[in-house]
Amino acid sequence: MAATISRLTLIVLDSVGIGELPDAAQYGDAGSNTLANTARAVGGLNIPHLGRLGLGNILPIEGVPPVDRPLAAYGRMAEASAGKDTTTGHWEIAGLLLERPFPVYPHGFPPEIIKPFEERIGRPVLGNKAASGTAIIEELGPEHMRTGYPIVYTSADSVFQIAAHEEIIPVEELYRMCRIARELLTGDHAVGRVIARPFVGRPGSFKRTDRRRDFSLPPPAPTILDLLLENGFPVLAVGKIEDIFAGKGITEAVHTEGNMDGVDQTLACMRRLERGLIFTNLVDFDMLYGHRNNPRGYADALEAFDRRLPEILHATRPDEVLIITADHGCDPTTSSTDHSREYVPLLVYGQKVKPGVNLGTRSTFSDVAATVAELFGLSYPRGTSFAREVIVR
């Protein structure tokens, strides 16, 4: 099987879902539609470049009408794995399906986890409950600063989060605590991610910093990233991709400070990488706006990305394919502050791509992995490739 391209850029717009999945109600997400509901809440989105690619052809979105001649192939993908979190979504995009969701702890972590953790770090913890990250810092930050005890909390996702003021617990010590938690959280308690949440400031004005770090479970089986590396194709990870995959299948990682830096770093990779995969996560949609139920901020972030999109399209080489998708939803208009179980958009662009092809509804995010494999002349065992539907031969 001959390779069709020499480079592929895959951009995940973190949490930019496009409508509830059939089983959304089982996850408490009936009615969720991150894109359409956000657009409705702000009186329409101004994202003409995504519109020209065909985003509005996937689903009615206020301010994003369907176009007669989309520049990209377009469709949507359903999540086949159980769950709705970042790790599950990205792993499925890379070809790994989970039959059961990662464990969650809506009532906090049990003593068999917290007690050995406290013993290993040499101090008690505060919190140990499900909470909004910004809210629990405001609630427990003053006590944390007085006692030096770290704040442990979780959410509806499979996460063990540790928040600490950088002046009270230095960031490297916070990272050490996270590694201890990661060692302890195995077996039935193998959460998807342990997350360091450093913050600064004073009571009433605490602010989380960009020194967050995720300590993920390593994927339990090879992904498309591993397959590419084994066959001599470099994999450049931009944003939190390295953390999500625990460094597996990655040649080089570039961490970023927000969406615009993520776009800048992606463009820098596109300027220098001759062949292989550029895999980018843009997290601000989810972290700053979805979880905080801020539709205006979410819309502004979408519009800011859209203004940068022409630079990405211009940087796409003749022998390259660009794929834009998402990993789950996080509807900022619902009462929930958690991720939502949604379809994700699929836009496929490039000089070798037939514009305007309707890819329909894909049954799994892993169709991306199968397609990436075929485009590079390889074969991947999971997912159904859409390469032959979109590539001009």
Side-chain angles (χ1 to χ4, degrees):
M1 189 187 305
T4 306
I5 61 171
S6 62
R7 193 174 76 188
L8 190 142
T9 297
L10 172 58
I11 298 177
V12 176
L13 308 180
D14 201 304
S15 86
V16 182
I18 196 163
E20 63 180 299
L21 283 168
D23 61 357
Q26 299 174 30
Y27 292 80
D29 297 324
S32 292
N33 189 324
T34 299
L35 271 168
N37 289 347
T38 298
R40 189 177 305 112
V42 301
L45 292 172
N46 182 22
I47 48 175
H49 305 295
L50 284 165
R52 280 194 280 274
L53 288 183
L55 184 64
N57 294 65
I58 304 171
L59 188 84
I61 302 168
E62 191 171 337
V64 193
V67 291
D68 292 335
R69 306 178 80 175
L71 299 179
Y74 61 91
R76 64 179 185 173
M77 299 189 295
E79 187 165 23
S81 299
K84 56 176 181 177
D85 61 272
T86 295
T87 302
T88 302
H90 281 78
W91 283 9
E92 186 167 326
I93 289 168
L96 183 61
L97 275 66
L98 298 182
E99 294 183 0
R100 66 171 189 165
F102 292 116
V104 294
Y105 298 87
H107 306 295
F109 297 95
E112 61 263 33
I113 293 298
I114 290 298
K115 186 176 179 181
F117 177 70
E118 291 178 328
E119 290 173 352
R120 290 277 301 274
I121 67 172
R123 64 187 94 181
V125 304
L126 302 174
N128 187 27
K129 61 184 179 179
S132 158
T134 51
I136 201 167
I137 289 170
E138 290 302 321
E139 176 192 349
L140 298 177
E143 185 179 355
H144 159 71
M145 295 186 73
R146 185 174 66 253
T147 63
Y149 302 160
I151 301 168
V152 170
Y153 67 103
T154 187
S155 71
D157 294 330
S158 182
V159 291
F160 184 103
Q161 303 188 84
I162 310 174
H165 195 289
E166 292 189 1
E167 294 177 10
I168 304 300
I169 297 178
V171 171
E172 289 303 324
E173 174 64 12
L174 176 59
Y175 293 164
R176 187 185 75 84
M177 291 180 177
C178 288
R179 293 188 188 97
I180 290 170
R182 183 71 278 172
E183 291 173 12
L184 294 171
L185 291 160
T186 59
D188 289 342
H189 297 299
V191 299
R193 288 177 293 160
V194 175
I195 306 177
R197 293 287 197 176
F199 64 96
V200 295
R202 292 292 176 263
S205 60
F206 290 130
K207 181 181 178 182
R208 297 197 293 195
T209 74
D210 58 18
R211 300 172 81 181
R212 162 189 170 155
R213 185 169 173 190
D214 294 27
F215 298 79
S216 293
L217 278 178
T223 68
I224 185 63
L225 311 185
D226 299 297
L227 179 66
L228 290 173
L229 278 193
E230 289 169 7
N231 286 274
F233 293 99
V235 176
L236 271 58
V238 179
K240 64 178 185 178
I241 296 297
E242 180 188 37
D243 294 337
I244 293 168
F245 289 89
K248 287 192 63 179
I250 292 166
T251 309
E252 178 185 341
V254 182
H255 290 266
T256 58
E257 300 177 5
N259 280 1
M260 293 305 98
D261 185 39
V263 173
D264 289 340
Q265 298 300 333
T266 300
L267 290 168
C269 290
M270 294 175 82
R271 285 191 289 269
R272 65 184 174 88
L273 183 70
E274 289 300 316
R275 60 194 295 271
L277 174 68
I278 301 166
F279 194 175
T280 295
N281 172 279
L282 301 179
V283 73
D284 286 359
F285 310 105
D286 180 72
M287 182 176 69
L288 298 183
Y289 309 113
H291 286 301
R292 299 184 189 180
N293 284 351
N294 181 352
R296 182 66 266 172
Y298 206 110
D300 289 344
L302 286 167
E303 291 171 2
F305 172 74
D306 190 79
R307 288 192 292 272
R308 302 293 306 275
L309 184 54
E311 298 174 63
I312 298 170
L313 302 182
H314 182 72
T316 303
R317 298 189 321 200
D319 59 348
E320 179 177 12
V321 167
L322 168 69
I323 297 177
I324 299 174
T325 187
D327 54 341
H328 50 71
C330 194
D331 191 330
T333 72
T334 64
S335 59
S336 170
T337 60
D338 299 315
H339 293 159
S340 41
R341 176 87 169 166
E342 296 186 43
Y343 293 102
V344 297
L346 176 63
L347 297 170
V348 187
Y349 172 84
Q351 289 190 28
K352 288 180 172 286
V353 175
K354 300 174 188 175
V357 173
N358 185 349
L359 292 168
T361 298
R362 318 299 299 191
S363 62
T364 169
F365 297 178
S366 289
D367 286 5
V368 170
T371 301
V372 171
E374 184 171 354
L375 291 173
F376 281 111
L378 306 172
S379 177
Y380 191 77
R382 287 178 291 278
T384 301
S385 172
F386 49 79
R388 298 181 189 188
E389 296 177 58
V390 301
I391 295 299
V392 177
R393 297 291 176 177

